Amino acid sequence: MDMDPRHVQLKELLTTKEALGIICYGKHHNQKQVSCTRLSELLKVPINKIKEICSKLEELNVVTVIKLGVDLELEFIEHENDDVKHIIDEAIWENKQEYGKIYKRLITSELMDFMDGDK
C-alpha cells in the first residue's frame, strides 16, 4: 500500500524525540492546549527546536499553533483525522522504547515541579 507523501513525511517526523515528546504530552494529558515554553521545560529541549517541530506538525494537520506574545500554544487536533491518528499510533509503536523514555521523563519532570511547588 502506497502512503500519501504527507503521511510519509509525518511518519518520518515522528521518529524525532521532540515530535514524539509533543505527541506523548498530548496523549497523556487532558489539556486541549499547551504552551511551547512548558513543553520545552518538561522535555528539556530548546524552545526553538520545539517551535520548529510544532510548525512542521501544523503543516501536517496534527496541531494548530496559536501565537501568544513571544510564546506559541499548541492545540492538538490529530483526533480529527483518522489517517493521521493511525500514523501517530503506528509511529509510537515502532518507537516504543524512545516513547517510553520520553513518557518517563515527562512524568518525572512533572513530579519534580509538583514537589518544588510545595516549598
Side-chain angles (χ1 to χ4, degrees):
M1 169 176 99
D2 287 335
M3 276 207 288
D4 177 340
R6 185 176 136 249
H7 292 163
V8 172
Q9 188 180 7
L10 175 59
K11 198 165 182 182
E12 189 175 300
L13 180 63
L14 289 173
T15 62
T16 66
K17 291 186 295 190
E18 297 83 11
L20 279 173
I22 291 166
I23 296 301
C24 182
Y25 185 91
K27 285 203 169 282
H28 297 286
H29 287 77
N30 289 329
Q31 293 176 274
K32 276 281 204 195
Q33 297 178 334
V34 64
S35 147
C36 285
T37 301
R38 180 74 177 138
L39 280 170
S40 174
E41 292 167 358
L42 289 172
L43 297 171
K44 310 271 189 269
V45 174
I47 186 71
N48 291 339
K49 189 72 173 168
I50 294 289
K51 287 180 178 180
E52 177 185 325
I53 295 293
C54 290
S55 172
K56 291 177 182 177
L57 287 172
E58 183 176 39
E59 289 172 11
L60 298 169
N61 295 323
V62 177
V63 299
T64 298
V65 177
I66 304 159
K67 188 159 176 62
L68 293 173
V70 293
D71 196 12
L72 298 177
E73 194 165 270
L74 297 182
E75 182 173 351
F76 298 97
I77 60 170
E78 87 280 351
H79 62 279
E80 295 175 12
N81 185 331
D82 287 338
D83 289 344
V84 170
K85 187 175 185 223
H86 175 73
I87 291 169
I88 289 171
D89 291 342
E90 194 174 297
I92 289 169
W93 179 252
E94 290 173 3
N95 298 285
K96 60 185 169 263
Q97 284 186 308
E98 185 63 35
Y99 187 85
K101 290 177 189 175
I102 291 167
Y103 180 72
K104 183 178 177 182
R105 189 175 330 131
L106 277 173
I107 297 301
T108 303
S109 290
E110 290 176 335
L111 177 62
M112 296 308 288
D113 284 353
F114 176 76
M115 291 172 66
D116 286 344
D118 285 346
K119 291 181 180 178

